[in-house]
Amino acid sequence: MTAIMVVEDNAISARILDINLTRAGYQTLLVPTGKSALSALASGTEADLIITDIIMADMDGFRLLRELRENERWRRIPVMISSSLSDTESVRQAAVLGCRSYLIKPIQPGLLLRKIAELFSQDKPTLRDRSEAFVQFGLDEEAYLELAGTFGALVRGQIVLLEQLQSQHSALLRPALRDLSEGALVMGAERLTECIGRLQATAGDGLSRGGWVPGYKALLEELKLVEEALASPLLPV
Amino acid sequence: MNEHGEKPVFDRAALVERLGMDDEGLIRELMEMFLADLPVQIQQLKQALEQEDGDRVMRLGHSLKGAAANLGTDALSDVAHRLEIAGRNGDLQSGRSLVPLIEREHQSLLSALFTSGILVPGTERAHL
């Protein structure tokens, strides 16, 4: 059973998280402070995920994140933040410290459970949602939309190019793949990043190898999914 | 928000959504937890204001804001947010002026919970 440690000094907020997580089948451990979280881990408690508040009495969520990242045994435990702080600086700081997801209170159970499921799932989303783009790269709303626009134009251009190329001339694709790969990384188009990686490896082997055509088709298909996600009036939030 | 632009004393629907189910027993349990702690928090807040400890006022306000918002007690959460800001700015005069508002919201919440039957008359001593 997946074990989630909830670090929350407010008993009500902790209980509401607990109710939602337990009902979704997760095992929970509630601790009231950053220090008690570290003590529990030090005494052998296993956690597959830590959800922490930021403002807490003895050790804030950022300090807890830092302590976890500096410890060889705990550095790989994913951490999500659940806080009512929604300022860019807090989100940026969380991103720098490697926080995987940043949820703003009051807690929305649907979003909470979806983010957790995604975190443990092998199925990557077409596009990372907006709040994660904020977390990962410290983007604000305006910067995100601008980037989404530029990336969308690039994706549309590549779809046209790929359709014209009809799976021929892999060499022509290499510069385009490089540009796409940068945009895909920032926008969190993780499946697209994987498609590009596979195709780049195959393209390096020349046209004679059998991996090129399926890779090309997978890329075209994924680009169309990304285009659709970007064209949605409500980009993922 | 109502027609006067005021936040609701208790938005039950919001709490039900947050819990993912309409469970009267669970709502009562959470409200009793909250109300048992609220007088203690108000006392701590008064103490922090007396000691002119803006940082503590900010933390207490922040914590109360989060808990109250999670419970759908939006009016109380709103005053707690103002306390958090006052504490952060070291504006203890504003902080002191907000204490009676917190106490008023506490009473309004109790009334709303008794009226709606979430709290049962006769148990009010435990919450006052």
Side-chain angles (χ1 to χ4, degrees):
Chain A
M1 192 188 255
T2 306
I4 301 180
M5 184 185 283
V6 173
V7 192
E8 171 62 77
D9 63 350
N10 187 285
I12 299 289
S13 302
R15 181 79 178 105
I16 292 183
L17 275 170
D18 182 40
I19 290 165
N20 282 291
L21 294 173
T22 308
R23 199 173 46 240
Y26 296 109
Q27 185 189 331
T28 58
L29 173 70
L30 311 182
V31 290
T33 64
K35 278 189 182 161
S36 51
L38 293 177
S39 303
L41 291 169
S43 63
T45 301
E46 300 275 337
D48 300 302
L49 167 67
I50 295 175
I51 301 179
T52 182
D53 190 10
I54 294 180
I55 296 187
M56 292 180 290
D58 66 346
M59 177 189 285
D60 70 19
F62 296 133
R63 171 89 189 281
L64 172 64
L65 254 169
R66 205 170 290 122
E67 297 272 344
L68 292 169
R69 294 296 169 248
E70 285 170 3
N71 182 296
E72 189 52 43
R73 277 164 60 205
W74 308 328
R75 69 190 329 153
R76 281 171 208 86
I77 304 175
V79 176
M80 285 172 76
I81 281 182
S82 161
S83 169
S84 54
L85 294 179
S86 57
D87 60 289
T88 319
E89 187 44 44
S90 298
V91 178
R92 223 179 262 262
Q93 203 173 337
V96 169
L97 291 167
C99 155
R100 295 287 291 274
S101 205
Y102 194 110
L103 300 172
I104 310 284
K105 285 182 189 167
I107 297 151
Q108 297 172 50
L111 182 65
L112 168 79
L113 297 176
R114 188 160 55 82
K115 298 319 300 175
I116 295 173
E118 274 177 20
L119 202 110
F120 291 121
S121 166
Q122 297 305 312
D123 299 330
K124 308 262 183 350
T126 305
L127 278 183
R128 188 190 298 119
D129 75 20
R130 223 184 269 214
S131 59
E132 278 180 66
F134 295 172
V135 167
Q136 203 85 21
F137 299 100
L139 299 173
D140 60 16
E141 181 89 4
E142 198 182 335
Y144 177 86
L145 290 173
E146 190 184 322
L147 194 68
T150 311
F151 184 57
L154 183 65
V155 167
R156 281 190 298 279
Q158 294 314 310
I159 290 173
V160 173
L161 179 67
L162 281 170
E163 283 176 337
Q164 283 171 352
L165 288 175
Q166 294 288 325
S167 86
Q168 304 298 311
H169 312 297
S170 66
L172 287 177
L173 260 182
R174 280 190 201 131
L177 290 181
R178 206 172 38 238
D179 290 348
L180 270 177
S181 127
E182 278 178 23
L185 190 69
V186 179
M187 294 299 291
E190 295 181 26
R191 290 207 309 254
L192 182 60
T193 302
E194 285 174 358
C195 284
I196 295 168
R198 280 197 298 272
L199 204 52
Q200 279 171 328
T202 330
D205 293 340
L207 283 172
S208 58
R209 299 292 174 92
W212 171 254
V213 173
Y216 155 88
K217 283 185 178 160
L219 174 67
L220 186 55
E221 203 174 301
E222 189 56 34
L223 279 172
K224 286 180 178 171
L225 287 174
V226 171
E227 184 194 25
E228 199 178 303
L230 283 166
S232 158
L234 292 170
L235 279 169
V237 286
Chain B
M1 233 178 281
N2 66 15
E3 69 272 23
H4 306 295
E6 292 164 349
K7 299 227 166 140
V9 174
F10 173 47
D11 184 348
R12 183 188 170 119
L15 177 56
V16 165
E17 196 186 323
R18 218 150 281 138
L19 294 175
M21 60 180 155
D22 192 352
D23 182 331
E24 182 99 4
L26 199 52
I27 293 175
R28 183 173 300 119
E29 177 204 320
L30 287 166
M31 284 302 179
E32 285 182 346
M33 265 172 81
F34 183 60
L35 291 167
D37 200 36
L38 189 54
V40 180
Q41 290 186 63
I42 293 176
Q43 204 47 46
Q44 287 172 341
L45 189 64
K46 287 178 178 172
Q47 202 177 31
L49 285 162
E50 263 172 39
Q51 292 167 351
E52 310 214 319
D53 185 346
D55 192 50
R56 187 154 166 71
V57 172
M58 184 270 284
R59 283 170 191 279
L60 286 164
H62 177 81
S63 176
L64 183 57
K65 176 187 77 174
N70 270 325
L71 287 175
T73 56
D74 295 351
L76 191 55
S77 176
D78 205 35
V79 183
H81 185 205
R82 288 161 65 191
L83 264 163
E84 180 190 359
I85 294 168
R88 182 174 295 133
N89 296 337
D91 182 2
L92 300 176
Q93 199 177 339
S94 296
R96 277 187 275 273
S97 72
L98 290 166
V99 172
L101 293 187
I102 286 272
E103 288 173 329
R104 195 187 71 191
E105 291 304 336
H106 179 196
Q107 294 307 315
S108 305
L109 178 61
L110 279 172
S111 305
L113 294 174
F114 282 126
T115 307
S116 61
I118 291 167
L119 292 182
V120 182
T123 62
E124 61 266 40
R125 283 200 166 276
H127 309 300
L128 293 172

